[in-house]
Amino acid sequence: MREHWETLSGKKLKEEAKPVEKKSDLHKVQAGAFSDEKNANKLAAELKKKGYSEIL
């Protein structure tokens, strides 16, 4: 086993990364990024109408 691991950026790590324990089956998607809150609220309302829940 190697003593040091290297990341894609070249940074050296002392030990191998361990897998993260799966907490739930919830998956999230960001639908947009807006500079105007009014536009963000409009899209949120449209998505809610289509059955998507608003989870932050």
Side-chain angles (χ1 to χ4, degrees), residues 7-42:
T7 65
L8 291 176
S9 66
K11 184 179 177 183
K12 302 274 186 202
L13 301 175
K14 288 189 178 181
E15 56 184 64
E16 183 178 1
K18 296 176 179 108
V20 176
E21 182 182 322
K22 187 176 178 181
K23 302 270 182 199
S24 75
D25 289 332
L26 178 65
H27 303 280
K28 298 179 182 182
V29 174
Q30 180 176 329
F34 303 90
S35 58
D36 185 344
E37 185 178 359
K38 185 174 151 184
N39 292 334
N41 291 333
K42 182 179 174 182

Side-chain angles (χ1 to χ4, degrees), residues 1-6 13-19:
M1 187 162 131
R2 292 188 224 165
E3 288 183 24
H4 295 280
W5 298 84
E6 192 172 312
L13 301 175
K14 288 189 178 181
E15 56 184 64
E16 183 178 1
K18 296 176 179 108

